[in-house]
Amino acid sequence: MSRPRKTNFRPKNAYILKKSRISKKPQVPKKPREWKNPESQRGLSGAQDPFPGPAPVPVEVVQKFCRIDKSRKLPHSKAKTRSRLEVAEAEEEETSIKAARSELLLAEEPGFLEGEDGEDTAKICQADIVEAVDIASAAKHFDLNLRQFGPYRLNYSRTGRHLAFGGRRGHVAALDWVTKKLMCEINVMEAVRDIRFLHSEALLAVAQNRWLHIYDNQGIELHCIRRCDRVTRLEFLPFHFLLATASETGFLTYLDVSVGKIVAALNARAGRLDVMSQNPYNAVIHLGHSNGTVSLWSPAMKEPLAKILCHRGGVRAVAVDSTGTYMATSGLDHQLKIFDLRGTYQPLSTRTLPHGAGHLAFSQRGLLVAGMGDVVNIWAGQGKASPPSLEQPYLTHRLSGPVHGLQFCPFEDVLGVGHTGGITSMLVPGAGEPNFDGLESNPYRSRKQRQEWEVKALLEKVPAELICLDPRALAEVDVISLEQGKKEQIERLGYDPQAKAPFQPKPKQKGRSSTASLVKRKRKVMDEEHRDKVRQSLQQQHHKEAKAKPTGARPSALDRFVR
Amino acid sequence: MTANRLAESLLALSQQEELADLPKDYLLSESEDEGDNDGERKHQKLLEAISSLDGKNRRKLAERSEASLKVSEFNVSSEGSGEKLVLADLLEPVKTSSSLATVKKQLSRVKSKKTVELPLNKEEIERIHREVAFNKTAQVLSKWDPVVLKNRQAEQLVFPLEKEEPAIAPIEHVLSGWKARTPLEQEIFNLLHKNKQPVTDPLLTPVEKASLRAMSLEEAKMRRAELQRARALQSYYEAKARREKKIKSKKYHKVVKKGKAKKALKEFEQLRKVNPAAALEELEKIEKARMMERMSLKHQNSGKWAKSKAIMAKYDLEARQAMQEQLSKNKELTQKLQVASESEEEEGGTEDVEELLVPDVVNEVQMNADGPNPWMLRSCTSDTKEAATQEDPEQLPELEAHGVSESEGEERPVAEEEILLREFEERRSLRKRSELSQDAEPAGSQETKDSGSQEVLSELRVLSQKLKENHQSRKQKASSEGTIPQVQREEPAPEEEEPLLLQRPERVQTLEELEELGKEECFQNKELPRPVLEGQQSERTPNNRPDAPKEKKKKEQMIDLQNLLTTQSPSVKSLAVPTIEELLSLVSSQEDEEERNHRQMIKEAFAGDDVIRDFLKEKREAVEASKPKDVDLTLPGWGEWGGVGLKPSAKKRRRFLIKAPEGPPRKDKNLPNVIINEKRNIHAAAHQVRVLPYPFTHHWQFERTIQTPIGSTWNTQRAFQKLTTPKVVTKPGHIINPIKAEDVGYRSSSRSDLSVIQRNPKRITTRHKKQLKKCSVD
């Protein structure tokens, strides 16, 4: 989504002092100067505040919220501009300090699994975990035995409260999986390829054999979208209200669910599309193709934003982590690779799996799960921002049938696996983000809250054409049109209004302002400018020569005879 | 004739006219030259007389020089006097009278006064007034500048503008105003007052305060003196330490060190007698120091001094001794404490010494013999050696040989090397045996050891030279024949993990080469039918492939696509749930076979398509399409022969080719496995800022000010509210009066000043008067 790295908290009544100070290490700050006499500082009881002033904030935490890129050196700016820049920087510092202070309110901590000295966590099975955890958590591990209607695809709603699953043989159901309350259960009498919740749990998109259908939480068919036919995979972009569908015919279609219009239908020109995932950071859709490439799509462009050659064989599964930094791909060549998406698109780690992974998914905290046949492997990284290390699996689990769908439940340490034997909900400690943003996606929200959130979300809907590889680029000035406009203005006016005025020597007294001396001064400045220009051009030439030299062989006197 | 006459008459006419002109001139001249001297006039007269001699048209000029009949006041002649008549002269009587002097003075005064000039016209006067008024007003108004600037820069303006009073008084002030009213309160306060307890500030009683304040003068002085003394002592000590530190004499330092050591020892002895517990602690400390030394490897021969000595050791006995000393010191320090027997330990130590003495060449040899990682190997071999020497020296060569034979399995051409090595090992073992025997007699063992090590060194040198030669010759052979594949040692051994699919017959070193390949299909075809095995080999020997015409230097930045896709990845041995033991064993046993089968299958499945080539072709096309096109303006047949089959000359084509400017480098220039679309997203560009707002001159400056998000999604509530406060707030239900001077702290209002000027235009300063004058003069 085009909202990068948001802080998922919103303190309501956090008392934040106006004067804030960053400290490198926790220390007692100096006495503020406003208090001239110490008596006035004392309270009624006579006790002195041992820590006067606002509490210091650690620098690293503040740094996390700073967004101004100070690496680029600015050209010399005038006083007025400088004051504006200073104001902007001061604002940034203040807001980031405030944000850092309210980190305190993120009370929950992620769970984890740790082996006793040298014990392999992968050997810990689900039964052990269930035995160890409390009852409420243990209830989150369950199996649904649905052997009748074939392999299942599943999807959790954005709040992580609801679960929808669809069997190949037409079985579609939605339930509140925490309380196990069934919302609806129908059979669509048609093959179900994929299933996905729309922005809320009230709407459900089902990719059926022919067309795309939309149901509500009662199981009533609301729409049948015939323009999206033979859909194999569905993705929903929550901040854009776009439903992206990949079809057998090779089309990637974006459907705006808020207005019911097809925003873009893009032909990928790569045959059948059945590998798709979204990048949650920038809402770019990743498609995997049979020629080993992964292409990145945005509805604004007819061609892919980027194409990455990942595997020798076809790509079987793609997943992108929640920060949009890493992409995991698996191919027919039985390799599992993790790519860096920050501009380089190079593999960071590679691993060959005996059977190859057919399904991949990232958790909110960066755990990677791969479904290989009937085995599920989970890898974990060192921290939240690090890629999962493929050396040792963090957890493994064997299911009763081949895996057909995988998704980590948001805000829960739960992995949902859809397979031929039904649905399995696994406990994976450390998978989910422990702190949720109550105003953004609240698992405990009431009906009223949901309705209010829906209105707000619709008001904040991001236009589809803003999807691009680097969402921060939108906050940059469009240099090309800026320069074009400048050129046109110069043409219109006949002169450059921003051009530097020619040097005018200042009048001086005592006969030093004679014509000759004026001319002399003018000439001096002119010469200096000229020298600068020459120097620059010389430097450029040097650069060019330095570049050109190593390529050519040594010239010979006989070269002139060469025809 | 008639014409002649005509001309004559004309001439005559013109003459007459001339003559007629003359007298006029004369008249004029006369009137003009009235004031001229006599002589000149006489001369004029003479000339006239001469001119009038010829008779015709003579005119008498009226000139009166003496009294005439007709005398009139209008005809006064002033001739003769030569001076102007002055008015004063007329007044002057024949005889001077004093009474007229005043009149004269008055007259002169009247004369000196010039005439009053014309008043300026109305418009000009008004203009001047306006100008002056403007200047004045501007000056008056300029005092508002800081106020205006402040308001402009203010983050928020709240109207009506009013001075804010501090709303909340501090609690102490409130308290001081508070009085006890109820009887209980009064009672309590009475008590407090009686006991001289503080009422408002309850921290210290007045007595306590007084006692705190009191510090006698003597006390203070003493304290000061003490402090001074301490400071002086400190500075002395510092100076001394600095001086001692600067002393360069080694001997001095040695003496000092020894003295210190002795002292420490003495103290320790004493301590042992007096306080055994403390002594034990001290001992521990010493032990710790030893351990530190042991860890820091300070006495290893790796230092600068030790290295220089090692070079000299061959020729210089003293240096050798020094070296030995150091080594023994090292040994002593690095000694392990838990040793079984003294002799064994010592031997181990000597072994160490030898190890250290051996030059690097030896290590190189070992590496060549045994495999990829020299570091691992070195430690390993030394370990085995030690073990062998401790247990049975004869076992060693076998062990080594075994290792070598292992390596032989992989690498056949190393055979010669191996033979040499075996030889070397044998010699070494022999020497060790002799050494062992030497160990039995401790006396003079030092020297023999030394000689032994020297021997080894010389041997090694010879050996390494041989090896090098061997290497070179082998290399030459390889390059000449070009078929013997040289095994790359850097490549890790486990070959089985490399997926077979990745090994392709054609190997591509760099992107350029690959492009070449793509262009030349025949080359490709030649390469393709090669057997897979050979392909593997060629892949393993990338640097001396025979058919590569020239060795291209790999660009460091460029990442080889082939390498990228063929990176070896460790495979998961068992993927099943590890708790199930049987499954695990089953899988591991079946693994290899399964894997092989699978690979075979995959290889067959992907035999036809070449993913990399297709991708590179696509990328090339994309790059070509995005490049700006050159414009060719050549007209065939212009200035030379044209026709079918005739091309315009190269020179001409070059002359008329307009090269497109090279664009910025592509983002995927150094990323062979990526195609990044360089097209502009015009839909997104419509939402971007395209005009720089006012104070910014460069877009980077502006970008910096909009980089922080202001939405509530990214900020805390307070920060969000602060970031989105409106610039101007008007309080509802309040009258907003215009700003007054009193509001901002000025005394007089500017309005009144202005009005005064406008109504009374006469009040003009001297400067303005000057201006006025200047205008009037012009």
Side-chain angles (χ1 to χ4, degrees):
Chain A
M1 353 228 143
S2 74
R3 320 184 160 189
R5 275 145 217 170
K6 62 204 210 97
T7 61
N8 42 8
F9 52 79
R10 214 168 307 173
K12 275 274 163 85
N13 296 316
Y15 177 65
I16 295 155
L17 286 158
K18 264 192 182 171
K19 269 198 77 179
S20 47
R21 206 180 293 123
I22 310 174
S23 81
K24 297 221 167 64
K25 50 190 169 186
Q27 57 180 9
V28 180
K30 273 189 263 166
K31 270 185 194 170
R33 272 185 200 157
E34 295 108 70
W35 289 308
K36 274 157 202 154
N37 47 343
E39 267 97 54
S40 67
Q41 202 186 338
R42 280 186 202 127
L44 241 191
S45 64
Q48 214 166 348
D49 185 4
F51 308 105
V57 189
V59 183
E60 315 86 63
V61 185
V62 175
Q63 210 61 42
K64 197 170 73 180
F65 296 102
C66 286
R67 290 189 180 83
I68 291 183
D69 175 23
K70 277 165 190 157
S71 60
R72 195 150 57 175
K73 201 149 185 290
L74 292 185
H76 176 74
S77 39
K78 291 182 289 184
K80 212 169 225 174
T81 322
R82 222 176 305 134
S83 72
R84 284 276 197 100
L85 290 172
E86 274 160 16
V87 165
E89 262 162 45
E91 253 172 18
E92 187 216 16
E93 197 194 327
E94 203 185 335
T95 51
S96 52
I97 284 173
K98 275 177 182 166
R101 263 182 214 295
S102 29
E103 283 257 279
L104 191 76
L105 302 171
L106 304 177
E108 302 292 326
E109 278 180 10
F112 55 90
L113 206 58
E114 214 171 52
E116 280 174 6
D117 41 74
E119 190 190 359
D120 192 4
T121 50
K123 285 181 182 167
I124 299 171
C125 63
Q126 284 293 307
D128 297 339
I129 296 174
V130 167
E131 226 169 77
V133 297
D134 57 316
I135 301 170
S137 304
K140 285 171 187 166
H141 170 69
F142 60 88
D143 272 304
L144 298 180
N145 279 323
L146 306 160
R147 299 217 160 264
Q148 210 176 346
F149 296 108
Y152 278 89
R153 296 278 300 168
L154 82 168
N155 181 233
Y156 287 100
S157 67
R158 245 168 68 70
T159 57
R161 181 82 180 184
H162 300 271
L163 171 69
F165 51 86
R168 168 80 60 73
R169 300 195 180 85
H171 178 207
V172 169
L175 71 155
D176 181 345
W177 70 271
V178 181
T179 57
K180 316 281 190 304
K181 208 181 101 192
L182 192 67
M183 292 200 296
C184 69
E185 188 172 21
I186 49 171
N187 199 320
V188 295
M189 307 303 285
E190 207 178 3
V192 170
R193 256 76 166 276
D194 201 358
I195 188 164
R196 198 136 299 242
F197 276 116
L198 297 190
H199 56 278
S200 72
E201 57 271 16
L203 291 170
L204 198 60
V206 180
Q208 296 180 15
N209 197 23
R210 271 321 282 281
W211 295 308
L212 174 69
H213 293 255
I214 290 178
Y215 298 90
D216 75 347
N217 56 359
Q218 307 293 317
I220 299 163
E221 183 182 320
L222 300 178
H223 302 286
C224 169
I225 297 151
R226 291 185 191 174
R227 283 193 63 190
C228 303
D229 61 333
R230 304 205 169 276
V231 174
T232 53
R233 284 285 177 273
L234 293 171
E235 275 294 341
F236 185 70
L237 311 175
F239 293 102
H240 303 77
F241 284 85
L242 288 179
L243 182 68
T245 61
S247 70
E248 269 177 1
T249 52
F251 274 90
L252 171 65
T253 313
Y254 286 87
L255 174 72
D256 190 334
V257 297
S258 63
V259 290
K261 227 169 68 179
I262 284 182
V263 172
L266 311 167
N267 190 355
R269 289 192 188 127
R272 186 174 193 271
L273 302 174
D274 58 351
V275 178
M276 173 157 82
S277 86
Q278 66 163 310
N279 185 343
Y281 170 59
N282 52 14
V284 166
I285 292 286
H286 292 227
L287 292 178
H289 304 298
S290 57
N291 59 355
T293 59
V294 169
S295 55
L296 277 55
W297 294 86
S298 136
M301 300 279 274
K302 290 278 173 211
E303 291 128 34
L305 300 173
K307 259 188 179 186
I308 311 158
L309 180 60
C310 297
H311 294 280
R312 297 293 292 248
V315 178
R316 286 178 75 190
V318 176
V320 185
D321 84 322
S322 60
T323 60
T325 322
Y326 307 111
M327 173 176 75
T329 62
S330 82
L332 281 174
D333 57 356
H334 290 194
Q335 287 201 325
L336 173 63
K337 292 185 181 183
I338 292 181
F339 283 81
D340 189 354
L341 287 183
R342 289 168 295 189
T344 60
Y345 304 103
Q346 299 304 318
L348 296 171
S349 51
T350 311
R351 187 160 191 94
T352 310
L353 306 170
H355 297 288
H359 299 272
L360 291 172
F362 268 105
S363 87
Q364 277 177 328
R365 285 185 58 79
L367 266 59
L368 175 67
V369 62
M372 298 156 289
D374 57 350
V375 176
V376 160
N377 256 25
I378 298 162
W379 289 278
Q382 260 71 46
K384 206 201 165 191
S386 64
S389 60
L390 302 179
E391 295 300 316
Q392 274 291 322
Y394 174 60
L395 276 179
T396 50
H397 187 61
R398 186 178 282 275
L399 302 153
S400 55
V403 178
H404 196 62
L406 280 174
Q407 198 192 354
F408 278 104
C409 180
F411 307 114
E412 294 280 1
D413 287 348
V414 164
L415 167 68
V417 186
H419 47 92
T420 44
I423 302 284
T424 301
S425 171
M426 275 173 67
L427 292 185
V428 183
E433 176 66 47
N435 298 293
F436 58 84
D437 184 349
L439 296 181
E440 194 59 46
S441 48
N442 186 356
Y444 308 110
R445 69 186 171 195
S446 63
R447 199 179 131 91
K448 200 80 190 161
Q449 277 174 323
R450 194 191 78 206
Q451 285 165 351
E452 260 176 38
W453 167 83
E454 207 168 349
V455 172
K456 274 183 192 160
L458 279 168
L459 287 174
E460 285 177 357
K461 190 182 111 175
V462 183
E465 62 260 29
L466 290 187
I467 297 175
C468 51
L469 268 185
D470 181 15
R472 299 202 50 100
L474 291 172
E476 283 168 7
V477 174
D478 184 11
V479 181
I480 295 172
S481 6
L482 181 75
E483 257 150 32
Q484 180 70 23
K486 223 183 240 171
K487 214 184 275 173
E488 278 167 9
Q489 190 192 24
I490 290 167
E491 225 165 76
R492 205 164 49 233
L493 295 174
Y495 68 96
D496 185 5
Q498 271 139 20
K500 208 178 131 195
F503 174 70
Q504 205 62 44
K506 273 184 193 162
K508 289 192 175 172
Q509 288 186 336
K510 295 186 184 169
R512 279 180 296 174
S513 199
S514 69
T515 323
S517 80
L518 284 185
V519 169
K520 221 185 263 172
R521 269 190 275 158
K522 261 191 194 174
R523 184 143 291 276
K524 249 189 198 170
V525 174
M526 246 165 65
D527 286 348
E528 188 53 47
E529 279 169 5
H530 185 68
R531 249 173 266 141
D532 275 347
K533 254 186 214 166
V534 169
R535 221 171 279 145
Q536 270 183 5
S537 69
L538 271 179
Q539 261 181 1
Q540 275 180 358
Q541 266 187 4
H542 267 292
H543 273 294
K544 268 188 189 170
E545 275 172 21
K547 269 183 193 170
K549 244 178 198 172
T551 55
R554 211 155 170 217
S556 143
L558 300 176
D559 280 352
R560 69 192 71 172
F561 302 113
V562 175
R563 292 268 146 168
Chain B
M1 277 297 280
T2 51
N4 229 350
R5 219 177 286 158
L6 248 170
E8 271 177 33
S9 63
L10 263 173
L11 259 175
L13 243 170
S14 65
Q15 268 180 351
Q16 267 181 352
E17 272 174 9
E18 271 178 21
L19 284 174
D21 279 349
L22 251 173
K24 269 183 206 164
D25 282 351
Y26 174 67
L27 268 175
L28 269 172
S29 68
E30 191 197 31
S31 65
E32 271 175 356
D33 299 350
E34 228 168 3
D36 277 2
N37 52 358
D38 245 354
E40 211 180 322
R41 201 169 45 232
K42 275 169 187 167
H43 179 73
Q44 197 82 19
K45 267 184 188 170
L46 184 70
L47 281 177
E48 268 169 49
I50 288 163
S51 67
S52 61
L53 270 180
D54 52 5
K56 249 187 260 170
N57 217 355
R58 192 173 167 192
R59 199 197 277 182
K60 260 270 176 252
L61 290 168
E63 190 186 75
R64 210 191 71 190
S65 52
E66 56 263 1
S68 65
L69 289 174
K70 242 184 157 179
V71 177
S72 75
E73 52 187 325
F74 302 113
N75 230 354
V76 179
S77 164
S78 63
E79 200 181 346
S81 69
E83 285 171 8
K84 262 193 175 175
L85 188 69
V86 185
L87 199 61
D89 293 343
L90 293 179
L91 283 172
E92 219 168 341
V94 184
K95 87 176 156 117
T96 52
S97 72
S98 58
S99 61
L100 277 174
T102 50
V103 184
K104 237 171 151 181
K105 245 183 201 168
Q106 276 173 353
L107 254 176
S108 73
R109 200 178 294 154
V110 167
K111 207 187 124 194
S112 74
K113 209 165 198 178
K114 276 180 189 166
T115 49
V116 176
E117 281 158 28
L118 272 174
L120 285 173
N121 50 5
K122 206 176 158 194
E123 285 85 39
E124 246 170 76
I125 288 172
E126 274 180 353
R127 204 188 59 190
I128 291 159
H129 282 317
R130 274 202 306 273
E131 204 172 312
V132 171
F134 170 78
N135 284 334
K136 180 82 181 168
T137 320
Q139 207 184 359
V140 169
L141 284 181
S142 70
K143 74 177 177 187
W144 286 95
D145 285 352
V147 179
V148 171
L149 197 69
K150 206 181 103 195
N151 281 354
R152 263 189 206 152
Q153 286 177 345
E155 277 173 28
Q156 193 184 33
L157 285 177
V158 183
F159 290 112
L161 287 169
E162 268 163 26
K163 270 183 204 166
E164 284 177 28
E165 292 126 31
I168 308 150
I171 196 99
E172 280 82 6
H173 290 265
V174 177
L175 261 180
S176 62
W178 182 76
K179 272 170 189 168
R181 277 178 205 143
T182 58
L184 180 68
E185 283 170 357
Q186 274 167 0
E187 213 167 306
I188 289 168
F189 269 72
N190 273 337
L191 264 174
L192 282 175
H193 281 300
K194 260 181 208 165
N195 294 329
K196 284 193 174 177
Q197 289 295 323
V199 183
T200 50
D201 183 14
L203 193 68
L204 292 174
T205 58
V207 183
E208 281 169 342
K209 260 185 202 167
S211 69
L212 260 183
R213 247 182 243 130
M215 190 193 204
S216 69
L217 189 67
E218 273 176 39
E219 210 177 326
K221 268 184 181 168
M222 262 171 64
R223 188 123 184 254
R224 187 155 154 264
E226 245 172 54
L227 281 174
Q228 271 177 343
R229 209 173 101 79
R231 232 175 285 141
L233 279 177
Q234 196 185 354
S235 75
Y236 294 155
Y237 182 75
E238 271 172 11
K240 193 185 170 194
R242 219 172 286 141
R243 203 185 60 238
E244 276 178 358
K245 199 187 165 193
K246 263 187 190 168
I247 295 173
K248 281 181 182 169
S249 159
K250 280 182 183 168
K251 198 172 177 186
Y252 167 78
H253 280 292
K254 214 182 265 176
V255 168
V256 166
K257 228 184 248 174
K258 265 188 187 167
K260 267 185 191 168
K262 260 185 194 168
K263 206 179 159 192
L265 207 69
K266 217 183 240 172
E267 273 177 7
F268 180 68
E269 287 290 318
Q270 259 183 359
L271 203 68
R272 210 177 59 176
K273 277 171 195 164
V274 178
N275 189 0
L280 216 66
E281 263 177 37
E282 198 77 351
L283 200 70
E284 244 167 52
K285 261 186 205 166
I286 292 168
E287 181 58 22
K288 205 169 191 182
R290 193 197 61 81
M291 271 153 77
M292 294 286 277
E293 187 80 39
R294 197 174 135 90
M295 276 158 70
S296 67
L297 305 179
K298 209 173 176 185
H299 289 272
Q300 216 80 312
N301 56 1
S302 56
K304 207 196 225 171
W305 175 85
K307 273 177 189 165
S308 72
K309 285 286 173 226
I311 292 166
M312 293 295 289
K314 203 173 163 190
Y315 314 104
D316 194 0
L317 197 74
E318 226 170 274
R320 209 178 300 161
Q321 269 171 3
M323 190 110 173
Q324 288 294 336
E325 208 172 293
Q326 201 208 10
L327 286 171
S328 64
K329 177 93 180 168
N330 175 36
K331 204 175 73 186
E332 188 183 299
L333 285 168
T334 56
Q335 211 169 30
K336 263 190 186 170
L337 282 185
Q338 302 87 350
V339 199
S341 74
E342 200 67 31
S343 66
E344 260 185 25
E345 196 277 316
E346 204 171 72
E347 213 228 281
T350 52
E351 201 62 41
D352 265 8
V353 170
E354 267 173 28
E355 275 283 319
L356 294 166
L357 279 171
V358 189
D360 286 351
V361 193
V362 181
N363 296 332
E364 208 177 277
V365 171
Q366 283 178 349
M367 182 195 77
N368 281 347
D370 286 41
N373 196 341
W375 310 111
M376 294 288 288
L377 199 110
R378 189 182 174 185
S379 63
C380 177
T381 48
S382 66
D383 280 353
T384 51
K385 244 183 277 160
E386 270 184 22
T389 44
Q390 274 164 20
E391 285 163 24
D392 187 11
E394 259 103 359
Q395 211 176 334
L396 186 98
E398 279 175 26
L399 248 169
E400 289 290 321
H402 180 64
V404 171
S405 68
E406 258 184 18
S407 70
E408 194 187 13
E410 294 171 12
E411 333 168 345
R412 248 173 291 128
V414 206
E416 292 164 21
E417 221 175 83
E418 178 206 319
I419 292 161
L420 274 170
L421 269 170
R422 218 176 256 170
E423 208 178 274
F424 159 66
E425 288 298 339
E426 272 171 21
R427 279 193 203 180
R428 206 175 180 190
S429 62
L430 265 173
R431 193 183 47 69
K432 258 171 205 156
R433 258 176 267 160
S434 68
E435 243 180 49
L436 267 178
S437 60
Q438 276 166 12
D439 259 355
E441 28 171 17
S445 65
Q446 180 92 349
E447 264 187 35
T448 48
K449 252 185 234 166
D450 259 357
S451 64
S453 65
Q454 291 248 333
E455 213 179 276
V456 172
L457 273 174
S458 61
E459 255 181 39
L460 278 173
R461 242 167 249 142
V462 171
L463 231 148
S464 67
Q465 272 181 2
K466 266 190 193 174
L467 261 175
K468 268 182 193 165
E469 280 169 20
N470 226 327
H471 242 290
Q472 279 174 359
S473 67
R474 231 161 19 77
K475 260 188 194 168
Q476 281 169 1
K477 246 193 271 172
S479 58
S480 62
E481 289 174 12
T483 46
I484 300 170
Q486 192 192 346
V487 179
Q488 262 194 306
R489 283 200 191 77
E490 281 77 29
E491 222 167 66
E495 188 183 1
E496 39 155 21
E497 281 163 10
E498 193 176 33
L500 270 179
L501 173 80
L502 310 181
Q503 293 162 359
R504 290 249 144 211
E506 78 278 11
R507 219 207 67 84
V508 186
Q509 281 183 27
T510 55
L511 200 65
E512 288 98 312
E513 205 174 307
L514 204 123
E515 277 173 62
E516 276 179 333
L517 288 183
K519 277 171 194 163
E520 298 169 35
E521 284 292 325
C522 55
F523 191 43
Q524 274 285 345
N525 291 338
K526 211 167 69 187
E527 289 254 328
L528 268 167
R530 266 188 178 185
V532 177
L533 198 115
E534 205 191 315
Q536 274 174 27
Q537 281 173 351
S538 69
E539 195 171 332
R540 287 173 134 249
T541 60
N543 287 330
N544 34 357
R545 202 171 57 154
D547 48 358
K550 53 189 174 179
E551 286 195 357
K552 280 189 181 178
K553 271 200 173 180
K554 268 193 184 178
K555 285 177 194 170
E556 285 189 358
Q557 277 188 318
M558 180 64 93
I559 301 149
D560 197 337
L561 188 55
Q562 191 82 17
N563 285 348
L564 202 106
L565 281 179
T566 57
T567 42
Q568 289 192 350
S569 56
S571 70
V572 183
K573 283 287 175 210
S574 68
L575 268 173
V577 187
T579 46
I580 311 165
E581 294 291 327
E582 313 108 30
L583 246 168
L584 205 146
S585 59
L586 232 166
V587 167
S588 61
S589 65
Q590 285 180 350
E591 177 116 321
D592 291 346
E593 226 171 285
E594 215 173 273
E595 196 113 307
R596 217 167 294 146
N597 285 341
H598 220 97
R599 271 182 203 160
Q600 198 60 38
M601 243 169 66
I602 289 169
K603 221 164 68 188
E604 280 165 17
F606 297 114
D609 50 31
D610 185 355
V611 171
I612 294 182
R613 197 148 54 97
D614 290 349
F615 186 81
L616 283 173
K617 201 175 157 196
E618 201 182 333
K619 176 158 183 176
R620 204 166 48 236
E621 276 164 12
V623 169
E624 285 298 318
S626 73
K627 257 186 196 165
K629 304 273 181 304
D630 294 351
V631 184
D632 193 1
L633 293 177
T634 15
L635 287 173
W638 187 261
E640 59 191 359
W641 288 109
V644 181
L646 283 176
K647 270 188 201 162
S649 67
K651 188 182 164 193
K652 205 174 173 195
R653 256 182 292 155
R654 217 179 307 134
R655 171 119 165 61
F656 287 103
L657 188 76
I658 297 171
K659 279 208 169 166
E662 226 172 274
R666 280 180 70 90
K667 277 184 224 159
D668 53 7
K669 198 180 149 206
N670 293 327
L671 308 169
N673 67 327
V674 187
I675 307 171
I676 296 175
N677 199 342
E678 300 269 288
K679 262 185 198 164
R680 200 159 148 248
N681 183 354
I682 44 169
H683 297 290
H687 292 268
Q688 276 176 296
V689 179
R690 55 178 66 195
V691 181
L692 268 188
Y694 158 59
F696 302 105
T697 48
H698 198 276
H699 63 268
W700 288 352
Q701 294 166 344
F702 177 60
E703 277 162 18
R704 196 169 270 201
T705 59
I706 57 170
Q707 264 166 357
T708 29
I710 54 170
S712 62
T713 321
W714 299 273
N715 288 305
T716 56
Q717 189 61 26
R718 283 291 182 96
F720 165 67
Q721 276 171 352
K722 200 180 169 217
L723 287 172
T724 54
T725 42
K727 270 243 64 61
V728 175
V729 174
T730 51
K731 282 183 192 163
H734 286 264
I735 299 166
I736 300 170
N737 287 318
I739 194 167
K740 271 181 274 176
E742 286 85 34
D743 293 341
V744 275
Y746 295 131
R747 260 188 315 169
S748 63
S749 89
S750 58
R751 264 284 160 94
S752 58
D753 277 359
L754 248 176
S755 57
V756 166
I757 292 168
Q758 276 165 348
R759 266 171 220 154
N760 191 1
K762 270 176 201 168
R763 253 184 60 182
I764 296 171
T765 54
T766 49
R767 211 182 93 226
H768 298 137
K769 264 182 201 162
K770 258 186 212 164
Q771 246 182 10
L772 259 176
K773 225 184 241 173
K774 222 172 105 188
C775 287
S776 62
V777 166
D778 292 342

